[in-house]
Amino acid sequence: MDVDDEDPPAQTEYEGETYTFCGDGCKSDFEENPEQYT
């Protein structure tokens, strides 16, 4: 899925990196278990 990095709907930081997401649900899933996605 493409996400606009200039104006993402949701984003978070993890280990010094910024991750962008299509919405809050995907962001929450990532934050619960980031190792699964990185």
Side-chain angles (χ1 to χ4, degrees):
M1 173 177 282
D2 291 328
V3 176
D4 181 4
D5 289 334
E6 298 286 324
D7 188 26
Q11 66 182 23
T12 193
E13 298 282 328
Y14 177 69
E15 293 188 346
E17 296 288 327
T18 301
Y19 292 88
T20 58
F21 304 93
C22 59
D24 290 330
C26 291
K27 176 187 172 194
S28 294
D29 289 345
F30 177 87
E31 290 176 332
E32 287 176 14
N33 190 5
E35 292 83 22
Q36 176 181 346
Y37 299 98
T38 56

